Structures are given as structure tokens and as C-alpha cells.
Amino acid sequence: MTQSSIARVGAPGAVLAATIRGRRRPRGGSGSEPDRGALSTADWRRTQVRWTWRSMHFLLLVLLLVWCLGPLLLLAKFAFTPTQEIQSNPMALIPEGLTMRNIDQAWNRYHIGQFFMNTVWVALGSWFVQVLVATTGGFVLSVLRPKWSKVLNWAVLATLFVPAVVLLIPLYKIIVNPPIGGSLINNFFAVWLPAGASAFNVVLVARFFDSLPREIFEAARVDGAGPFRLFWSIVLPMSKPIVGVVSVFAVIASWKDFLWPFLVLRSQDVMTLSVYLQAMKDVDKGTLMAALAISTLIPIAMFLIFQRMFLRGAGLGGAVKG
């Protein structure tokens, strides 16, 4: 058979297939197929089904709000509620009397502000070290790719299987007797330097760098850009989403960390807030609740500020469009 005869024979089948596809298109006239869910369009037209599913969605939303925001709202209420009322009627939705005494006692008498600032410095230093190590390590493994990069990559991945508890005693001995200088006990560097040894962040950033277009790197090298210029001017500006993710992880992890600061930051001059809170004894409930509420400010603010960058970078999708 000739090509023209084959085309004539195949024409009815093509017309039939086109007719079937045309019938399956939505009434809106869009060429793309409609999204398919648990219910069809005909089911959504039924009043009973529609109201049942919308009620389920509403109840699920309320449950999530109560489950997630309930403890934070309750803690905020306790911070401004007198201690007697907390002990007598803790689950009251609206307190009978609001007071600032709890905040004043926690901030002035127990000097929560000093330990709050200590924790801020610890978090900032840990954030800088983790971002520096993660971005430079990921740059070497993903962009520069030296001959020994595969061996280094496997070595970094192997450290993920070592429990942190196993490293606790050797790391503490290194901090007490470091190879250079004196002891780092009661020094912020005792927390900053170990925080950078995060293989998870290095692997996370390296996987993101793998998704960046190689053509840009090759064009930069052709234009004469060296490794430092390539890292600073090309890679980092394209890596804002993953840097935001690492930043949120680093700050929140260092803010809530207790065991390591408890071991190396013993003096009250450098003690963090998490360590001091567990040492608050013979404190009335209202003052303690106010101190706990103050300790939650930074994590909440971090998420609210960087939530868009965090959610955009969590998928580790492509970095460049067009």
C-alpha cells in the first residue's frame, strides 16, 4: 500500500479519536483535561454530597487550627493571667483579669532578657557557620566536582549514619582540650564550631545545586570567572530558596538545643534560654509561663518571615525559568 492509501485508511480512526477527545473536554472549552478528585462533577452538583464534604473540610480545618495554634494561644493567655487564676481555672477561654506582672517579673527579676540575647548570639553564630559550610561544601561537591568528589560525597553521606550521642564524648573532650588554644568551655565558639559539621545541610544544598543549569556555569567560566567569582556572583544569587531553608533549620535547631549548651555553656553570662528555663525553681506559674512565651518569639517570627522562601525551597525544584 502507498502512503496516501495508508493515510486514507487511518483517517476514520483519527477522526473517531478526535471526536471522542472532543466529547471528553470540559464545557469551559479548555484543551487540558480537568483535575480529577475523589468526587466527580456530577457528585458535586448533588446538594447533600456537597454540603457533607464542605462540612468535613471545615471540621478538619478547625481541628488543625486547634491542634497547632491551641498550645501557643494557651501559652500566650497564661503569660498575662495571674497565677491564682491559672491554678484555679486554667482552661478558661478569657481570663478574668489581665496582668503584666508576669512579663515584668520574668524580664526584670529573673533577667530573661539577658539569656534571650545569649540565645540570639548562639543562633546567629550557628546560622552563619552552617550556611557557610553547607554552601561551600555543596559548591565543591556539585559545581566544581574535583576528581575526589565522589569519595568525599560518600564520606559525607556516611556521617549521617553515625548517631549524635556517639560523638558527644569525643566532641566534648576536643572542646575542653582543643588542638589550638585553651579550653572553649563557656565560649560561644564551643557551640558555633560543632554546629557547622552538619552533613544533612551539605547534602541538601548539593542536591539543590545539581538542579541548577550547567550552561550558566560553563558560560561564566568562558568569560573568565574563577571559582570564587562563580560561587559569589552566580551560584549564591540563584540559591536563595535553599539558603532560606537551611537558615530556618539552623536557627530553630540552635534555639531549641538543650543538651550541648548545657554541657559547654555553664556560666550564666553565656547560658542560653533553654538551659536557664529548666533551672528556674521556686517560680510561680505565671512568671514561668511568661518566660516560656518569650522563648517562643524567635521561632514564630522566623517562620512568619521566611515561610514563603521556606515553602518554595522545600521542594528543591528548578531555580531558573525561561
Side-chain angles (χ1 to χ4, degrees):
M1 297 177 66
T2 62
Q3 295 182 354
S4 60
S5 60
I6 294 176
R8 287 193 298 269
V9 172
V15 173
L16 179 61
T19 304
I20 295 176
R21 287 196 300 268
R23 291 177 179 176
R24 291 181 178 177
R25 291 179 180 176
R27 293 185 178 182
S30 176
S32 60
E33 294 186 0
D35 296 334
R36 296 184 178 181
L39 298 178
S40 64
T41 305
D43 293 331
W44 276 108
R45 291 172 181 163
R46 298 170 58 185
T47 304
Q48 183 178 1
V49 174
R50 183 171 65 252
W51 280 102
T52 301
W53 276 79
R54 288 180 177 176
S55 302
M56 292 173 58
H57 292 166
F58 178 76
L59 292 176
L60 181 60
L61 178 61
V62 172
L63 179 62
L64 290 175
L65 290 177
V66 172
W67 188 271
C68 299
L69 297 181
L72 295 177
L73 296 178
L74 190 63
L75 182 61
K77 182 182 79 73
F78 285 162
F80 298 95
T81 303
T83 303
Q84 294 79 6
E85 187 175 346
I86 294 176
Q87 295 176 346
S88 61
N89 191 12
M91 300 307 296
L93 295 179
I94 301 177
E96 296 180 1
L98 296 178
T99 179
M100 293 293 296
R101 181 179 179 276
N102 297 336
I103 301 294
D104 180 71
Q105 287 284 100
W107 193 266
N108 296 320
R109 180 179 178 182
Y110 295 96
H111 307 289
I112 290 296
Q114 173 189 345
F115 304 102
F116 184 88
M117 291 306 302
N118 289 341
T119 313
V120 169
W121 286 115
V122 169
L124 288 177
S126 301
W127 163 79
F128 176 78
V129 174
Q130 290 189 49
V131 170
L132 178 64
V133 174
T135 52
T136 54
F139 178 73
V140 171
L141 294 177
S142 178
V143 180
L144 296 184
R145 292 183 179 178
K147 294 182 179 179
W148 40 269
S149 61
K150 291 185 178 180
V151 178
L152 181 59
N153 190 23
W154 281 107
V156 172
L157 290 174
T159 61
L160 294 174
F161 297 93
V162 180
V165 179
V166 177
L167 304 175
L168 196 61
I169 295 178
L171 186 59
Y172 181 79
K173 290 185 176 181
I174 294 176
I175 294 300
V176 173
N177 297 310
I180 301 175
S183 175
L184 294 178
I185 296 296
N186 294 326
N187 193 317
F188 286 147
F189 281 98
V191 179
W192 293 345
L193 296 180
S198 176
F200 175 77
N201 289 337
V202 174
V203 173
L204 191 68
V205 175
R207 297 291 81 82
F208 181 86
F209 286 171
D210 289 340
S211 66
L212 300 179
R214 299 289 156 179
E215 295 81 4
I216 297 180
F217 303 153
E218 296 174 0
R221 291 191 180 99
V222 171
D223 292 339
F228 179 79
R229 183 64 181 274
L230 181 63
F231 172 75
W232 185 259
S233 301
I234 305 298
V235 176
L236 276 186
M238 300 168 63
S239 306
K240 292 180 180 179
I242 194 62
V243 171
V245 172
V246 174
S247 299
V248 173
F249 285 162
V251 172
I252 292 181
S254 61
W255 190 269
K256 68 179 183 179
D257 191 15
F258 169 77
L259 181 58
W260 186 246
F262 177 76
L263 294 176
V264 298
L265 300 179
R266 302 172 182 173
S267 174
Q268 288 195 357
D269 295 334
V270 294
M271 186 179 292
T272 59
L273 194 56
S274 61
V275 178
Y276 181 72
L277 287 175
Q278 64 85 31
M280 294 180 67
K281 299 178 180 179
D282 301 328
V283 180
D284 60 277
K285 296 297 182 181
T287 304
L288 181 60
M289 292 297 105
L292 292 174
I294 294 174
S295 67
T296 61
L297 294 179
I298 292 297
I300 294 175
M302 281 288 297
F303 181 77
L304 293 178
I305 294 173
F306 295 101
Q307 61 173 331
R308 182 172 299 179
M309 183 179 296
F310 176 79
L311 296 176
R312 184 175 56 185
L316 303 183
V320 178
K321 294 183 180 180

